[in-house]
Amino acid sequence: MKISVIFGHPYEYSFNSAIAETVIKVLKENGHTVIFHDLYQEEFSPVLPKEELVSDHTNEPLVLRHQQEIKEADGIIIIHPNWWGQPPAILKGWVDRILRENVAYTFPKGDNGGGLPIGLLKAKAALVFNTSNTPKRREDEVFGDPLERLWRDCIFDFCGVTVFERIMFRVIADSCEKDREQWLLQAKEMVNRYFPRPVTNKYKQTE
């Protein structure tokens, strides 16, 4: 399977980086093809040009590459921190520029965009790994966990990916090495659950 891994964190020694390394390692051990993009390292431009907005077309090679890869992905994994209840701006810009109409979704003929979308992504599952310094109770009671609604309903369900799971590792600022080891084990288990090693029959059929 082709698994697209999108990483949005500027610091190479962050816990997000450790999550990305773990995710990639597990996917490769399970025999999958990993298409990894570190948006900051690539210097991906999150700014949606007005020409791109009105035409849904771009001539930018990196954007075209991302769009083609996301259409072909059998699975999608997103890794980023919780900043103000949102992804970092570079990742929000990735959504704006990559998950475009006729790439990730469309509308029925004659619908100008006010009706129900038709998801075009073929990914069988989407996973999101987040980190936060906000305790869970405060996140749920005060903020309502906006990242869950954003990724599950506003983005992936909209684009046709209905198998979804997200996990938030917290509180990073107060964590110890044992906490982080346990979280990476959880990340590994989650990837194994959705993208396991393909089962092959080693016994050929005989008469």
Side-chain angles (χ1 to χ4, degrees):
M1 296 173 69
K2 292 181 180 178
I3 313 299
S4 181
V5 179
I6 308 300
F7 177 64
H9 198 291
Y11 186 49
E12 64 270 29
Y13 301 114
S14 67
F15 185 66
N16 278 256
S17 293
I19 297 171
E21 290 176 7
T22 298
V23 165
I24 292 168
K25 182 174 185 291
V26 174
L27 289 171
K28 289 183 176 180
E29 288 175 347
N30 289 350
H32 300 297
T33 299
V34 179
I35 305 168
F36 176 63
H37 288 287
D38 181 330
L39 299 181
Y40 284 95
Q41 287 293 318
E42 289 183 350
E43 298 183 347
F44 182 90
S45 173
V47 178
L48 178 64
K50 61 182 180 181
E51 297 82 9
E52 208 169 296
L53 174 65
V54 298
S55 68
D56 280 322
H57 293 291
T58 180
N59 292 319
E60 191 171 322
L62 183 59
V63 174
L64 289 170
R65 177 184 169 193
H66 275 266
Q67 289 179 343
Q68 186 62 37
E69 289 174 353
I70 209 69
K71 288 194 295 184
E72 296 174 353
D74 300 301
I76 302 169
I77 298 177
I78 308 288
I79 304 161
H80 72 86
N82 174 4
W83 287 356
W84 297 97
Q86 306 169 73
I90 197 169
L91 185 52
K92 173 57 169 65
W94 179 88
V95 172
D96 290 343
R97 301 192 70 191
I98 304 306
L99 303 184
R100 303 294 297 164
E101 187 172 357
N102 298 321
V103 173
Y105 66 92
T106 189
F107 290 98
K109 187 176 180 179
D111 189 327
N112 64 2
L116 294 176
I118 300 170
L120 297 179
L121 295 185
K122 72 171 191 174
K124 297 174 176 60
L127 308 181
V128 175
F129 294 95
N130 293 141
T131 58
S132 177
N133 286 326
T134 303
K136 178 173 173 51
R137 182 174 179 178
R138 177 171 171 78
E139 184 77 61
D140 294 342
E141 294 181 359
V142 178
F143 305 118
D145 197 4
L147 283 173
E148 179 73 14
R149 292 299 306 275
L150 173 69
W151 286 112
R152 184 190 67 200
D153 302 325
C154 300
I155 295 176
F156 283 119
D157 188 66
F158 192 96
C159 296
V161 186
T162 57
V163 177
F164 172 84
E165 186 169 346
R166 171 179 159 268
I167 190 169
M168 176 81 83
F169 299 118
R170 67 178 102 213
V171 171
I172 298 297
D174 296 334
S175 65
C176 63
E177 184 175 352
K178 185 176 180 181
D179 292 330
R180 295 188 290 272
E181 288 176 353
Q182 181 61 36
W183 292 335
L184 291 178
L185 181 59
Q186 287 179 260
K188 179 178 180 180
E189 291 172 347
M190 191 163 151
V191 174
N192 274 325
R193 188 160 66 251
Y194 286 91
F195 305 114
R197 178 181 292 276
V199 177
T200 57
N201 186 358
K202 65 180 179 179
Y203 300 105
K204 295 182 179 179
Q205 290 185 343
T206 59
E207 294 180 348

